[in-house]
Amino acid sequence: MPQRRLVVDTSSLINLLATGGELEIALGLDWSLTISGHTRKETLFLSTPPDEDRRRSRVPADLTPLIASGRLTIHELSDEWLDAFVSCAEHLPDEDASAVALASHLRVALATDDPKEMKIGKQLFSGLKVVTTLDWLHEAASVLKWTDETSLVVASNLRWRGNFLPPRKHQRREWYLNLLTRAEKNRPRE
């Protein structure tokens, strides 16, 4: 089975890193991930869960394991996809525009949860496929045969390290919220 190529936007990349199992997920789902240089510049920090005083901190995001494994490559803006980028940048911030334009240029799916990116991407580039965080999270739980405990840890990590809340209309929203509710009940208080 050939590797699945995906262009990942900033928030989806942060969500993947927030799980704490980014390399396991990329390998298990046989992903070949690509980000733009704009996305790389925006993917600097993850958050921590709240401490006993409800304060949170920021910690550096580390792309090294994904890059070293060959599962993540970075594409700088080039003449080949400049026109697509300019078209997207009329409607989106540069980091979002670069992800949509790169996915279109490479003719691969875009990993995003941003409704505006999805809308603009599909308007400008017919046939653009989108993969959301809850799509790949659900697939990873199944393919990697996560235990209930692992699913709860990943859901909690995604919520607190990635600041992720599920989109209101996503078909897997209730599934994730159930995991998150159960994870919060089990989360140790410092």
Side-chain angles (χ1 to χ4, degrees), residues 3 18 21 24-25 30 38 42 45 47 68 80 86 104 113 128 136 141 143 149 153 158 166-167 180-181:
Q3 287 185 354
E24 175 190 20
I25 292 169
D30 206 15
H38 285 89
E42 293 293 315
F45 297 100
S47 297
E80 295 175 331
V86 170
S104 172
D113 293 302
L128 179 70
W136 61 254
V143 169
E149 181 180 337
V153 168
L158 185 55
L180 189 57
T181 298

Side-chain angles (χ1 to χ4, degrees), residues 32-178:
S32 173
L33 304 172
T34 303
I35 60 172
S36 70
H38 285 89
T39 297
R40 174 60 191 115
K41 291 174 189 164
E42 293 293 315
T43 311
L44 300 176
F45 297 100
L46 299 171
S47 297
T48 63
D51 64 18
E52 61 189 25
D53 296 323
R54 300 175 75 146
R55 287 184 295 216
R56 299 176 70 201
S57 302
R58 296 175 79 190
V59 294
D62 186 7
L63 298 177
T64 307
L66 286 170
I67 293 170
S69 72
R71 292 295 169 155
L72 177 66
T73 57
I74 302 168
H75 280 256
E76 297 298 335
L77 184 61
S78 69
D79 289 342
E80 295 175 331
W81 52 287
L82 180 61
D83 289 342
F85 171 74
V86 170
S87 294
C88 291
E90 291 176 8
H91 309 280
L92 299 166
D94 286 356
E95 62 274 6
D96 297 339
S98 68
V100 174
L102 185 56
S104 172
H105 168 70
L106 296 175
R107 294 190 163 99
V108 300
L110 172 66
T112 185
D113 293 302
D114 186 313
K116 189 169 182 183
E117 278 182 58
M118 291 179 205
K119 179 182 174 186
I120 297 300
K122 289 180 180 184
Q123 284 176 350
L124 295 176
F125 310 108
S126 65
L128 179 70
K129 293 189 180 2
V130 173
V131 177
T132 68
T133 296
L134 291 180
D135 292 335
W136 61 254
L137 186 68
H138 190 266
E139 183 181 1
S142 175
V143 169
L144 298 172
K145 298 180 180 5
W146 285 343
T147 63
D148 192 52
E149 181 180 337
T150 299
S151 293
L152 297 179
V153 168
V154 169
S156 182
N157 283 348
L158 185 55
R159 168 65 186 108
W160 295 112
R161 295 181 74 214
N163 296 310
F164 179 76
L165 288 172
R168 294 182 201 271
K169 296 181 181 179
H170 198 286
Q171 64 186 8
R172 293 195 170 92
R173 177 183 170 84
E174 293 306 316
W175 168 78
Y176 174 76
L177 288 175
N178 178 274

